[in-house]
Amino acid sequence: MREARKAISFHSLEIQYLKGEIESHNNEKAKRALQYLCQATRSGTYVNPIDLNGLETSILGALVRGSSDEKVRRWSLSAISQIGRANSCLDAVKHVLSTRDGEPQVLSAAIAALFRLAPKKAAQHLASLDNLDPKISYLSALQIIPQGELSDNKICLEFESCGPLTLKLALLLAGMNKCPPNLFHPKFDNREIIRELSTSDDNIVAQYSVWAAAENPYLTSSDLGLDVSDIEGRSENQRSYIYRLYASDPDYSTEQREIIQLGADDQDVEARLGCAIGIMSTWFDGLEEITRDWYFRESEEAHQLCLLDHFVKQSTKSDAYFCLAVELYEGFENDSARTKRMLAQASRLPISTEFRKIDIKRESGSLFPSEVIQVSNKNYTFPNASFQGQTVIGGGENNNSGNQFNETVQDNRAIITATLSAALEDVARLPIESTLKDETIEAIKAAKEDASPSRLEKAANLLQACEKGLSAVSGMVQKAKPLGEYALALLQNAA
């Protein structure tokens, strides 16, 4: 069983980030922010009163905005059910109930919000409407009101004869851990029916069954009894939630590791995203071997962002993640959206101190002191910590303030050695895909031992490959640039 999250408040940085995503006019970003808000509040996280007005306004804006889609409206109403107040939200909820006949899941979310905001008058208001199925109203109300407080306080669905919408709403209750006993069948426990429905021929019903197991803190992958060998044969939506379920399982197993690797390698965008979301709070020794390489080959921004969240959140358990997150934060100098997100995720963690130090240095202009090596009448800037001042090799002048070269070196061998040393240090510390990094380091070391033209060319070619790969990662272009300069210097001196 997954441990329930401790009751804590959202940090102001988290609220600022969530508001920005909800107000972004990007439906996918808004939906994910609302989903995160709902999940966190159901787990006990609360919004400080000082932040509530602004967050409510953002959510109501997303609910009524013309560009919002059905999912954003549904999750906006779910968020209102969690944190909304009657004086500011009730009229908007009633408006949805009278105007969204063609969106049954939106209506269901509005019914739940109505029972949250006006519990004593909700039933009366619903009775005045003629567009609602009583069974749908009942299941929706159960999201908020205990079964014994409803007028129809005992309904059994007989799941074999239920339509997909009814089953989806019942499974939604299961995910929220709000199911009354024997809701699906009078003779069978809810857990047994959820297991049965996970193999349903109806793709959506099977998907919601897996989702329910992923969301409910008292259900795990073992409750579904899925055939792991059959995962790749399932639909994209189902794979997404299967990956999410297994990735979030608190009990490590080799099967979990294999499924996470399968999710990381899945060619479908949606399926892969489920895995990226699932590993958010997961850590086991060796997981970084999968996630680090995944991040640097991942082309989808949403997936990269989830992996960034994972690196930051698990930085207390992994030195590798701590160093990687700091390195990436430095590289996002011109990407304020990513640094804000990382700061929000780090709000209560020791790594936030490192992020703040980087911000302070950045503001003072001292994060990357430039050191110049002059080769063949060209200057190459190496942002390398081992050079503390400006060293000019081959230029007849040496301005030196730390542990650097202490005299002018004019022969090609010294230039090559200096270039290889600087390149080796940068390649070792930069977040480059592991196989390419190892091959490049080996080639550089070989060239240092014997600076033959063939070895220098091999090192230069691999450095160019590193530059190209790193430049493809958002925020890392400036960090990648010196690698190409090292390569050029080696090629010029290999001739």
Side-chain angles (χ1 to χ4, degrees):
M1 177 180 24
R2 285 184 284 270
E3 293 183 5
R5 181 172 173 172
K6 294 180 179 179
I8 56 175
S9 64
F10 285 101
H11 193 280
S12 60
L13 287 173
E14 291 179 282
I15 294 295
Q16 290 172 22
Y17 180 77
L18 290 172
K19 280 173 49 49
E21 295 291 278
I22 294 168
E23 296 169 3
S24 67
H25 290 262
N26 181 311
N27 285 332
E28 195 62 30
K29 288 183 177 181
K31 182 195 75 173
R32 290 191 188 122
L34 290 163
Q35 287 175 327
Y36 176 81
L37 175 64
C38 291
Q39 184 181 44
T41 50
R42 283 200 302 268
S43 299
T45 306
Y46 62 90
V47 179
N48 282 315
I50 194 172
D51 295 318
L52 191 52
N53 284 338
L55 188 55
E56 263 187 339
T57 300
S58 298
I59 295 168
L60 288 170
L63 176 62
V64 303
R65 194 162 55 227
S67 61
S68 293
D69 61 15
E70 185 267 350
K71 291 181 180 180
V72 170
R73 285 190 286 274
R74 174 156 45 101
W75 283 102
S76 295
L77 288 162
S78 295
I80 288 171
S81 296
Q82 298 296 321
I83 67 166
R85 295 170 295 185
N87 61 348
S88 52
C89 300
L90 185 56
D91 288 343
V93 171
K94 288 181 176 180
H95 179 73
V96 170
L97 287 168
S98 62
T99 59
R100 291 291 174 182
D101 292 5
E103 297 180 341
Q105 292 189 84
V106 172
L107 285 178
S108 174
I111 292 168
L114 182 67
F115 273 94
R116 171 68 74 191
L117 300 174
K120 294 182 179 180
K121 298 181 179 180
Q124 180 182 351
H125 183 79
L126 293 176
S128 69
L129 304 174
D130 57 5
N131 61 336
L132 299 175
D133 180 336
K135 192 174 289 186
I136 300 302
S137 297
Y138 172 79
L139 292 173
S140 304
L142 280 177
Q143 296 180 30
I144 305 299
I145 304 296
Q147 184 184 39
E149 296 181 18
L150 294 173
S151 55
D152 296 324
N153 62 16
K154 184 66 175 178
I155 288 183
C156 181
L157 297 181
E158 296 286 355
F159 77 97
E160 300 100 324
S161 59
C162 285
L165 176 61
T166 303
L167 287 175
K168 283 164 63 177
L169 294 178
L171 289 166
L172 186 66
L173 288 173
M176 299 170 68
N177 196 33
K178 297 288 185 71
C179 261
N182 302 104
L183 175 65
F184 294 92
H185 196 281
K187 295 182 179 179
F188 297 102
D189 182 76
N190 291 331
R191 189 184 301 255
E192 295 178 72
I193 304 303
I194 293 170
R195 185 187 185 99
E196 178 72 20
L197 291 175
S198 70
T199 61
S200 170
D201 293 334
D202 187 299
N203 178 46
I204 298 299
V205 171
Q207 174 188 327
Y208 268 68
S209 302
V210 181
W211 174 87
E215 286 291 309
N216 190 314
Y218 299 98
L219 297 175
T220 66
S221 56
S222 62
D223 290 301
L224 294 186
L226 295 171
D227 182 358
V228 176
S229 65
D230 184 46
I231 290 177
E232 293 178 278
R234 295 207 174 210
S235 69
E236 295 84 356
N237 287 343
Q238 289 186 45
R239 293 206 307 276
S240 176
Y241 284 107
I242 290 171
Y243 293 147
R244 180 176 170 183
L245 172 63
Y246 276 87
S248 63
D249 199 320
D251 298 321
Y252 171 76
S253 66
T254 54
E255 184 177 68
Q256 179 189 38
R257 183 190 180 101
E258 291 170 1
I259 292 176
I260 291 174
Q261 183 69 70
L262 194 65
D265 294 336
D266 199 297
Q267 294 302 300
D268 182 77
V269 171
E270 183 176 356
R272 208 163 59 248
L273 179 60
C275 187
I277 293 172
I279 63 171
M280 184 86 68
S281 300
T282 298
W283 166 253
F284 54 79
D285 189 32
L287 180 58
E288 73 278 6
E289 296 172 8
I290 299 173
T291 55
R292 190 177 181 280
D293 286 351
W294 179 8
Y295 177 81
F296 288 109
R297 71 171 185 269
E298 179 58 64
S299 58
E300 295 294 325
E301 180 185 22
H303 304 51
Q304 290 180 359
L305 294 176
C306 288
L307 290 168
L308 275 179
D309 293 345
H310 171 69
F311 297 152
V312 173
K313 283 183 172 294
Q314 302 306 315
S315 62
T316 57
K317 300 175 183 176
S318 167
D319 290 341
Y321 277 172
F322 189 98
C323 295
L324 177 58
V326 170
E327 185 71 40
L328 290 170
Y329 192 88
E330 287 180 346
F332 296 145
E333 181 176 7
N334 299 315
D335 193 340
S336 61
R338 295 204 179 205
T339 55
K340 286 179 180 178
R341 183 183 181 111
M342 293 179 77
L343 273 173
Q345 296 292 350
S347 57
R348 295 181 179 85
L349 302 175
I351 199 170
S352 63
T353 302
E354 296 302 314
F355 291 167
R356 291 299 190 188
K357 287 179 181 178
I358 293 169
D359 288 340
I360 292 170
K361 290 179 180 179
R362 191 172 283 153
E363 290 167 6
S364 65
S366 60
L367 182 55
F368 302 131
S370 296
E371 297 79 24
V372 180
I373 294 183
Q374 184 175 337
V375 181
S376 302
N377 298 320
K378 292 188 178 181
N379 289 335
Y380 298 91
T381 301
F382 301 143
N384 190 311
S386 66
F387 297 94
Q388 299 175 17
Q390 187 181 70
T391 302
V392 181
I393 301 178
E397 181 179 332
N398 182 13
N399 300 318
N400 192 336
S401 61
N403 181 23
Q404 321 167 28
F405 296 100
N406 295 315
E407 60 185 52
T408 301
V409 182
Q410 296 182 354
D411 61 7
N412 282 355
R413 177 62 188 173
I415 294 172
I416 291 169
T417 301
T419 303
L420 289 169
S421 296
L424 182 62
E425 184 167 341
D426 269 6
V427 170
R429 70 184 179 85
L430 286 171
I432 299 165
E433 190 274 324
S434 59
T435 302
L436 178 58
K437 171 181 279 199
D438 292 344
E439 188 176 358
T440 306
I441 289 175
E442 184 178 344
I444 292 172
K445 288 180 177 178
K448 287 184 74 175
E449 292 177 3
D450 177 12
S452 64
S454 61
R455 290 192 176 189
L456 290 175
E457 287 177 11
K458 181 178 181 179
N461 290 335
L462 287 167
L463 284 166
Q464 288 174 332
C466 290
E467 178 195 22
K468 183 178 179 180
L470 198 58
S471 295
V473 180
S474 176
M476 299 302 289
V477 174
Q478 291 303 313
K479 303 287 280 184
K481 185 178 178 181
L483 301 181
E485 295 173 341
Y486 297 140
L488 180 58
L490 293 176
L491 290 172
Q492 286 178 333
N493 286 277

